[in-house]
Amino acid sequence: MGYVAVTGGQDAIDASIELLREYRSGGKLPVDTEILRDRMKLLIDRVMSEAGLYAPDYAALALKQCEGSTEEAVFLLRAYRSTLSRNYTSRTVHGDEMHIRRRISSAFKDIPGGQMLGPTYDYVHRLLNFSLTEEKEEELQQWRAAFEEKAAQAGEVSLSDTAPRVLDLLRQEGLLEQVQEDRSEPCDVTMENLPLPAPRSAILQTLTRADTGFVSGLAYSDIRGFGMSHPTIGELRYGSLEIEVDYPLEGGGVWYVGEIFVTEVEGLMGARAGGEGIGVGYGCVFGRNDTKAIAMSVLDHALTLSIDSPTSDMEFVLLHGDCLEMNGFISHLKLPHYVTFQSKLDGLRNRKRSLEHEGND
């Protein structure tokens, strides 16, 4: 069988790019970026998390540009992020200051401030709702108005309320593993190479930007028996955090620049061998993404264990979960490898001829 290299040059590349636009222009209805931003929030949240840039409008634009491909959208958003100047560094935010939309604990039934189920698919039937194919926007907006009126009449507690951390109760009893507070300057993985062994600031940054499927798969393997984590969700909360920066001119003060929505998890992992207190893993990601935040907390704890497990191997976990690096390396296999492949074939043919020669002798 012969092997023929495909040729074409710049004309072929230009034609390929034209075909991309032809595929994206299929159908009769345009894709509105506002619709993507407002109606595909979970997808937008995932793209922003893996790109490391909180920008819903730009995430929607990236998804429109690349036909909804998550990894391509992340690539586009990260590339755009690299062009932005960094004028300010925000003040440190704390999860206990979160304006809560969702807050649950699987470790305790009764928690200070109460449990709040919030927006989640945990309690719905996983059945296709065929009535959505006939859904009319006017009827949907009428339902939304009625829902808001009903909520107001019911006198529900404002969703902007904050609540204390559930695990603070265990900390006060001294039942959690003691961890020394680290006030050192955090490592910025977007500005410098990832050091190994990595400080915890670099670990958390890398995990929150990692591919959602990769993080979830590794955490599942750790829980299933290839590691030592047996987590219980001490607290999972979703809501908004206010972002502030220091006023740059004389006189000081603080500027409020906006808010971001995050999912935060503190997972109870059980006491380690010979240790005192229950271990805690932490996860925090942009937007609504319970699964990734929980998985992140599992890996955060697993990376502190000195055991022979893939999920406790810092180099394996941190260097292979980045969606750009992972998908980019796999995608590069589509590029020409003519010389290296021909070299493999030549080696195989030479070995085959040698064996045939030995057989004839």
Side-chain angles (χ1 to χ4, degrees):
M1 179 182 291
Y3 294 88
V4 181
V6 176
T7 60
Q10 189 61 46
D11 289 342
I13 292 174
D14 291 341
S16 175
I17 295 174
E18 285 291 305
L19 281 174
L20 272 182
R21 186 171 184 181
E22 190 274 334
Y23 270 68
R24 189 170 59 80
S25 63
K28 302 297 183 182
L29 298 177
V31 176
D32 192 308
T33 56
E34 290 188 13
I35 294 177
L36 288 175
R37 182 197 64 196
D38 297 336
R39 300 287 174 88
M40 297 290 162
K41 293 181 179 179
L42 295 180
L43 181 57
I44 295 294
D45 289 346
R46 174 173 177 175
V47 170
M48 293 193 302
S49 176
E50 296 179 12
L53 178 64
Y54 196 90
D57 288 319
Y58 294 149
L61 177 61
L63 285 166
K64 178 178 179 178
Q65 182 175 334
C66 64
E67 303 177 72
S69 170
T70 305
E71 59 268 22
E72 285 293 332
V74 170
F75 202 140
L76 290 170
L77 206 55
R78 277 208 200 172
Y80 174 71
R81 181 187 188 278
S82 69
T83 68
L84 302 176
S85 60
R86 182 173 300 181
N87 298 321
Y88 305 97
T89 299
S90 69
R91 289 190 165 193
T92 302
V93 295
H94 302 276
D96 51 4
E97 299 172 350
M98 182 185 298
H99 301 300
I100 296 173
R101 300 290 182 91
R102 168 167 161 78
R103 178 176 182 251
I104 62 169
S105 172
S106 59
F108 304 98
K109 178 181 179 182
D110 298 315
I111 57 178
Q115 307 220 24
M116 183 184 296
L117 300 186
T120 177
Y121 287 94
D122 290 348
Y123 313 108
V124 302
H125 297 297
R126 263 64 176 207
L127 300 173
L128 279 177
N129 185 358
F130 291 101
S131 66
L132 294 180
T133 59
E134 305 296 330
E135 185 178 54
K136 292 180 174 57
E137 184 63 23
E138 182 180 353
E139 294 176 355
L140 182 61
Q141 292 305 320
Q142 289 175 353
W143 175 89
R144 183 181 178 90
F147 173 81
E148 293 174 349
E149 182 180 356
K150 178 182 178 182
Q153 291 176 350
E156 294 182 353
V157 176
S158 172
L159 292 177
S160 64
D161 285 352
T162 59
R165 289 185 180 276
V166 174
L167 267 59
D168 284 347
L169 299 174
L170 300 182
R171 290 188 177 95
Q172 292 170 4
E173 293 187 60
L175 298 178
L176 298 185
E177 190 175 59
Q178 296 298 313
V179 179
Q180 186 175 0
E181 187 175 3
D182 184 2
R183 290 186 173 272
S184 61
E185 187 71 17
C187 172
D188 187 346
V189 298
T190 69
M191 303 294 288
E192 55 188 285
N193 292 330
L194 178 68
L196 290 173
R200 190 152 183 261
S201 61
I203 291 173
L204 294 177
Q205 287 176 69
T206 302
L207 290 177
T208 198
R209 283 161 38 103
D211 181 82
T212 300
F214 179 87
V215 173
S216 301
L218 277 188
Y220 175 52
S221 74
D222 193 81
I223 298 169
R224 190 169 173 267
F226 287 88
M228 294 292 292
S229 295
H230 302 281
T232 302
I233 305 304
E235 182 176 10
L236 180 153
R237 55 171 63 191
Y238 162 74
S240 63
L241 290 170
E242 297 178 356
I243 306 300
E244 299 174 333
V245 298
D246 291 322
Y247 189 71
L249 303 180
E250 291 185 13
V254 177
W255 271 353
Y256 168 76
V257 295
E259 64 179 8
I260 62 173
F261 284 85
V262 300
T263 301
E264 183 189 52
V265 168
E266 285 187 303
L268 303 172
M269 303 298 171
R272 69 183 73 214
E276 296 183 1
I278 300 172
V280 179
Y282 181 77
C284 185
V285 299
F286 282 156
R288 289 161 53 208
N289 197 334
D290 291 3
T291 300
K292 185 177 182 181
I294 294 170
M296 179 179 169
S297 71
V298 172
L299 295 181
D300 173 49
H301 178 261
L303 289 172
T304 67
L305 303 178
S306 300
I307 60 174
D308 185 17
S309 167
T311 53
S312 296
D313 186 327
M314 189 172 293
E315 181 176 357
F316 174 73
V317 173
L318 298 184
L319 293 186
H320 296 94
D322 188 281
C323 62
L324 259 66
E325 297 285 349
M326 175 172 55
N327 290 296
F329 195 87
I330 293 174
S331 294
H332 105 280
L333 300 175
K334 296 180 286 186
L335 298 176
H337 286 69
Y338 312 134
V339 174
T340 54
F341 185 62
Q342 289 299 325
S343 177
K344 292 178 182 179
L345 290 178
D346 290 341
L348 180 59
R349 290 176 180 131
N350 290 335
R351 287 195 297 272
K352 185 177 181 180
R353 281 195 291 267
S354 296
L355 291 174
E356 290 176 349
H357 181 71
E358 293 174 3
N360 292 334
D361 290 343

